[in-house]
């Protein structure tokens, strides 16, 4: 009996230590992501290229932290979900930051697979849970009304139209999901308030005949080539 | 000890015979409850899908999407609500109430939401039960939804209408919000005049939620109204006209 | 819409009034059953015939109260379960009292049908819910360890054997039921502890060689004829 | 965007359905284990071989249910812990039943590996969580005091000594684990009460000079060969 | 011991009966006030005179119910606060309804004494507890933002100014009280949010140049004489 | 509005100051009663006369504290129940301590009136609420199982019989009260468990033939005269 | 053992008395700060110089109360944090009031050191905890949206720009701190909503072409010299 | 807009300079707190191991096992408690109290449990602090454990003693229970005479647990006593004598 319990003791001690390792990495991840988010926020008042460079500068360290998580989990096959709660919130925030950046850059939606690729993750070992990804998209949506308000204040009158189209598509896409009455459903419900606010700004701009006006000025500064140009 | 265990065996059979009857009764009740619960969960899930489908309606797909929702709702009724009905004898409805109430409430929510989208009116309990009267229970009496389940379902309708009002405004259909507002005000008034009965569990909490939804709808109408005042009506129409078509196509 | 709500108001007012009637009868039932229970409790220290007479004296009034409930329900066919919560606990306590008395008297188990008969109830109109009956049996079981302890203290050393057999049979019988994870299952789990306690008393008596000893004395007082004799 | 969300929808629907499948299997497992437990309980008053046969008769069906769980999980590598809570309690109860039976048979402790083997489980796919196993052992310990009391009442005076030795060893072994202040620690704390109760019975038997006496009688009935003989 | 407990029983029965009487009156009061409140709520959408008449129609019955409470308490001097909890919430709601009505009528604040007078109460026997009165005022304040929003939607653009002034005064007056850290203080803190919300509506109206505009129309319909006119 | 609120302020300040006065006295009472209770607790291990003297030594200070409460309330006729919650628990604890002491001294039950007399209270001004008194008796009952266990350990084998009789009488007396479904009823239900535990101790003593044995020794030390003698 | 506990009693009594002294001073501080806050609130509708004078009039009494706290703590070196909870909230509110006033006066941020200086505090003896200071700044931020709304309503259309710049700076500055997941972090998260609201007001003003318009009027009244001029 | 962002940058630097100081202060405090928390967690974990070690003591291994526990406890002190001490200035103990209190309480629990096993006496706060006096804090003042932490640790000691008493009886060492009972009675009396101070968080709850433990100990002593009365003392000794040795070997 003694031998057997010696093994049990080893196993229990081991589990406790894995938990502790992951807890520490997740805490580092938490601090780090706050920095990234802080680097992204000036987008409300600064030019995009400046912000983009700063945020992208964090990517390799971020991948490093995820690699640490994946490394620990790799040795414990099948235990991703045993410890999943430790990095849920952080991952959603990462998705928020990367999806915002990607949209600023391309005007398109960062996909689930692209997110994993950006983070150098092998989904077979350590992927991004789908719900975490979708919640990240909701956070991204929540930031857009403020972005639109500030862009218009800065004289970019075409921004509301673009955001309204994008957000409308996202809302329509989300509506095709059959969500249970859970956290994700609540977060999704919030998107329509974002869309409503953006629509109100678009209305303000239209009613005043400002639409398409300032874009001429924008042209003057030579930023016409793609969607992202208006975010500079 | 031998003697003892012998006694035990003998006695066991005496008691167990009585208990076999009890076991049969309990099993019958539990199995029936389990079947009703499952049917009710299916009613809930499929009704929720109808509601989701209604939220996907926009000006462009309105005709077809409404018809689809109607067909779906009819399927819920003729497939899953029927399963509930077929389990019940007339005098058993209260016995299994907790097993099927959630489903019926969600069904009422879906049916009344659809009716509002079609006609702008409240689907009454009489109308609803008339549409169900072809569903017979075990004793061949027509199946019907109780006042309590109807009221709780209609209370939830308010939340869906709030969503419709806000996404309506988000899609530039400001008239939806105004129609919803008057309707929900009338509903809330009706509810607030009801006596406070112990029979309908959870009503006070639902009334609170209803008021919260109503206030959100009122705030939306307020915003629409206030915004509309800054420029003369015709100027607004001009500015938005071709855009509206645009937003139809998008949605 | 207003008409419909006026109808609902009328309907709910009616329901409320039935509820109030039943609530008052149930409150009376509650007080009354406390008296009956109080009359039974001296069994722990008094002789059985004395207690039996007292408790039986309450029976006709008890039947009267149940008749009142049945009378109201008779006019509302199929609504027994609508108001069932109002008399659940009371009914279980009645079953406890009657089953205890019956066992003291005969050594046997009072059946579901016998209980309804004792209360003059017509199950087609107003029966005893099977779960309420079974919960009453659990309460009866819960009282037996105390009874056994007091009987042994009073010198009746054969009582543990009889009770242990009876309770073991009851436990086995209960085990044949498929109980859900509900209140009844929790109450049933309690029988196990009652049985364990009674078995410990039986053990105490057995290991001290007291078993069958005092029964000789009992014989002397002429109380040998049936199980109930030892409870006097 | 639509395509992507169609995939998301499929994935979310899939996850919901896996959960529902496992929930149903776990509910069946729950009912089934209650039957097994009910088949084991007569051990307090009946002979071991009789009980053993009955309980062993359930084994193949039990393995079938676990095979169903494993089958679902097999297709979802790495998601064992995502759904683990669904079968925790049931598994601990299985361990309790099997460990009790094994001890009755051999006088030894059923190991973690042996448990998985008995259930035909491949730990690489679907193993038994160590904590669930240990909690099952605690439940087994909790049953032993009642067993000893009933054995002595039935005249088997050697049983307390055997159980006391076994339980003492188990307690000592458990003490070598470094447990956190969690559920398992609380369950472990209970073992010493079991040991104390068994020790008290052993004391009663010793003080009355009954030790080793009845085993002679047992010999007479020819049940001397192994530890299990005294449990008949 | 028996005699003494007979006395206790008498006293408890007496207390219980007073409690039961008051409980029933309070329950009636509760239902009744729900109706009154329901009659007041259409103020958000209907004209004031219509609502006023309806609510005033309830006054005599309301006084009757308070007279019943006072009648029972009259015979139990000094026990007002023993049973106070039974009618606290109801009384606060009454104050809310009456204060709202009074303000609509006169633009002024209904005083504590006026409230008691309206209810025909003699404070020496059965008054309105000051805290209950003040909590009623807080509820009244909580209703005003919704009222202002609906008035503006209905085209009454001067309402926000009037309400903002009144609520500002009420908030300032409350600030002079020394409130303990209790329920009342929490409710008072809520007034600040009501004021903020009303100020935001005023802002919306002002920034769009609507202030004083529609009042010209109002003049046209001849409703200029007092504050209350604008609430029709 | 200002004037009116000035009055409110005065009234609230006044109420607040009464509350504060009573709160401070009640806090002192609380500390003091903790000490009294701490002085009584050694009864589980020490001789009664020693404990009695110590506890009685606190009586005059205790009366002083109650006199302070009564003094404040005297000026606020009818507000006893407004502040009652401030001293409820303390008073129940006082009743517990005094009733325990009285029973140790005389073997009898301290009556409600006697309690008020001991505390020098005039019930017309400031009495002890009946429910507080009865809850105090429940706490007294809750202490008796522990007392009995310790007395038997100390060799006093007659104690269980005496306590079982007293507690049985108290339980029977309580049964005659019509308790509502409230805190007091829950506390009363606890007496049943106390009685059961005491009966189990009596059983332990009886089954081992200890009853009446050690009382011979007690006789030797000359402590035979009354119930209290056995508690020394 | 007794001696040791006697020492502990003495020590704890001493601590309790210090605690009570500080509690009373803190309660006075609490009332006093409510007055100061009440004096500041009219800023939403009155002219700044008027409010400033009133608030500054309270400063010497405020310093006096802090001096009392410092006096008690001076004798207990190193125990500032033992009693810190007693004055935390009050101190944060003081910081809120003083920082608001300072900003109105100078358009700048009141520093931590300046706050201590204003209160005549010697940080070596009794300083202001940094977190309390930062929480005070958060409260100050929370008040700004309401301030901006009211200023714009009063016709000061430049205010949103100034506040938005100031609040943006404050938010950026806060972002440089590494906050743990605690109360301060939650409060800091609130600044984001304040900023968003102020940006929306700025947007409203901008899109309506009101920006810089009224400042001409302001010029007319001669209030051009510094940031603070627009707050009069 | 260019102008604007320029302004922002300039202002940012002004504010951020102030905030850099704040950030340094906050970081310093948080990092120190984090280090203390870690040290305290290590104190807790290793003290718990000492307590587990004490529970593994039996008659057979008593001498060696006690020595081992003593060595382990000394290691806790000289390694982990030292780490806490080295972080603190004299006037910072209250600032970081919540960070190290849990560890100190567990250390007190371990130290007092060990002392009771060795001598049957309470290790006093003076004795304990004397044994720690070689640990110096940053300002080179001797480190000491506060009255509050000591009392809370001793309160937990009761629970461990209860476990010792019950497993003592389970191992046939009935005298342990009796010794523990008198000791815990005295402790409980001491505690119940203390004033109710706000300073020592969670004391009332711990007092409740202490009373529960005491009652369990008393019940154990009662059972031992009552059982011992059925037969004369010498008969018991005879019956159990060689068995006792037996149980030593087993344990
Ligand atoms: Mn819904
Ligand atoms: Mn511990």
């Amino acid at each position: 009996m003694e031998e057997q319990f010696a093994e049990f003791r080893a196993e229990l001690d081991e589990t406790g230590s894995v938990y502790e390792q992951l807890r520490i990495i997740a805490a580092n991840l938490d601090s780090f992501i706050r920095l990234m988010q802080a680097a992204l926020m000036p987008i409300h008042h600064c030019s995009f290229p400046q912000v983009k460079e700063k945020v992208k500068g964090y990517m390799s360290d971020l991948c490093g932290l995820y690699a640490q998580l994946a490394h620990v989990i790799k040795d414990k096959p099948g235990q991703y979900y045993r410890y999943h709660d430790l990095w849920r919130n952080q991952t959603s925030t990462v998705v928020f930051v990367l999806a915002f950046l990607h949209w600023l850059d391309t005007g398109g939606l960062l996909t689930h697979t692209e997110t994993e690729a950006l983070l150098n993750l092998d989904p077979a070992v350590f992927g991004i849970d789908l719900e975490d990804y979708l919640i990240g998209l909701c956070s991204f949506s929540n930031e857009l009304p403020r972005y639109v308000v500030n862009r218009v204040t800065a004289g970019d009158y075409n921004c509301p139209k673009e955001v309204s189209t994008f957000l409308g598509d996202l809302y329509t896409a989300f509506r095709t999901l059959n969500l249970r009455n859970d956290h994700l459903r609540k977060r999704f419900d919030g998107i329509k308030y974002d869309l409503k606010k953006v629509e109100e700004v678009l209305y303000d701009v239209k009613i005043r005949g400002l639409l398409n006006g300032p874009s001429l000025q924008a042209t003057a500064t030579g930023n016409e080539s793609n969607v992202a140009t208006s975010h500079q | 000890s031998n003697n003892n265990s012998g006694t035990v065996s003998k006695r066991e059979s005496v008691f167990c015979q009585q208990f076999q009857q009890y076991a049969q009764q309990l099993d019958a009740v539990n199995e029936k409850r389990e079947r009703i619960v499952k049917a009710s969960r299916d009613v809930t899930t499929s009704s929720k899908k109808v509601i989701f489908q209604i939220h996907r309606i926009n000006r462009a797909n309105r005709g077809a999407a409404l018809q689809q929702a109607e067909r779906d709702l009819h399927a819920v009724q003729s497939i899953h609500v029927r399963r509930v009905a077929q389990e019940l004898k007339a005098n058993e409805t209260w016995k299994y109430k907790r097993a099927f109430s959630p489903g019926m409430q969600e069904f009422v929510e879906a049916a009344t939401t659809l009716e509002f989208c079609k006609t702008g009116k409240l689907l009454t309990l009489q109308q609803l039960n008339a549409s169900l009267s072809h569903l017979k229970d075990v004793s061949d009496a027509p199946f019907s939804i109780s006042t309590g389940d109807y009221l709780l379902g209609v209370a939830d309708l308010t939340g869906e209408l709030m969503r419709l009002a806000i996404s309506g405004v988000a899609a530039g259909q400001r008239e939806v919000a105004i129609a919803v507002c008057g309707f929900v005000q009338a509903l809330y008034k009706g509810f607030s005049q009801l006596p406070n009965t112990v029979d309908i569990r959870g009503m006070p909490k639902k009334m609170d939620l209803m008021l919260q939804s109503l206030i959100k709808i009122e705030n939306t109408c307020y915003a629409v109204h206030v915004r509309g005042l800054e420029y003369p009506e015709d100027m607004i129409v001009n500015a938005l006209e071709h855009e509206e078509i645009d937003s139809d196509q998008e949605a």
Side-chain angles (χ1 to χ4, degrees), chain A residues 161-181:
Chain A
K161 183 84 200 106
E162 290 153 17
V163 172
S164 145
T165 306
F166 174 79
L167 207 49
D169 289 352
L170 186 65
Y171 184 56
T172 306
F174 253 102
R175 282 203 296 204
T176 64
L177 305 179
N178 293 311
L179 302 174
R180 280 170 297 150
N181 280 318

Side-chain angles (χ1 to χ4, degrees), chain B residues 142-163:
Chain B
F143 177 76
S144 68
I145 283 173
S146 73
T147 304
D149 287 342
Y150 176 77
L151 288 172
L152 290 166
V154 171
D156 285 343
L157 161 66
T158 317
E160 300 305 331
L161 293 182
M162 183 266 287
R163 292 192 176 94

Side-chain angles (χ1 to χ4, degrees), chain A residues 64-88:
Chain A
L65 284 161
Y66 271 96
Q68 288 178 34
L69 286 178
H71 181 75
V72 177
I73 287 298
K74 198 171 195 172
D75 296 347
K76 308 276 148 196
Q79 308 208 351
Y80 179 91
Y81 284 105
R82 187 173 197 170
Y83 306 102
H84 181 201
D85 280 343
L86 287 170
W87 57 77
R88 289 205 97 133

Side-chain angles (χ1 to χ4, degrees), chain B residues 138-208:
Chain B
V138 174
S139 46
D140 211 42
F143 177 76
S144 68
I145 283 173
S146 73
T147 304
D149 287 342
Y150 176 77
L151 288 172
L152 290 166
V154 171
D156 285 343
L157 161 66
T158 317
E160 300 305 331
L161 293 182
M162 183 266 287
R163 292 192 176 94
L164 283 176
I166 290 166
S167 32
V169 170
Q173 305 170 332
R174 286 174 288 281
E175 69 287 356
V176 173
I178 293 158
V180 164
C181 190
F183 184 79
V184 174
Q185 278 160 5
L187 264 190
Y188 187 71
K189 189 178 167 194
F191 272 95
S192 59
Q193 288 168 340
L194 294 178
N196 189 4
T197 116
V198 281
D199 216 19
I200 307 180
R201 279 160 205 272
M203 201 42 140
K205 210 187 146 200
K206 287 212 172 174
M207 290 281 291
D208 265 6

Side-chain angles (χ1 to χ4, degrees), chain B residues 213-230:
Chain B
S213 296
L214 176 54
I215 289 175
K216 280 177 194 163
I217 296 165
E218 286 173 351
N219 285 335
T220 304
C221 289
Y222 159 84
V224 165
H225 176 82
V226 165
R227 260 162 218 284
L229 288 167
E230 274 187 274

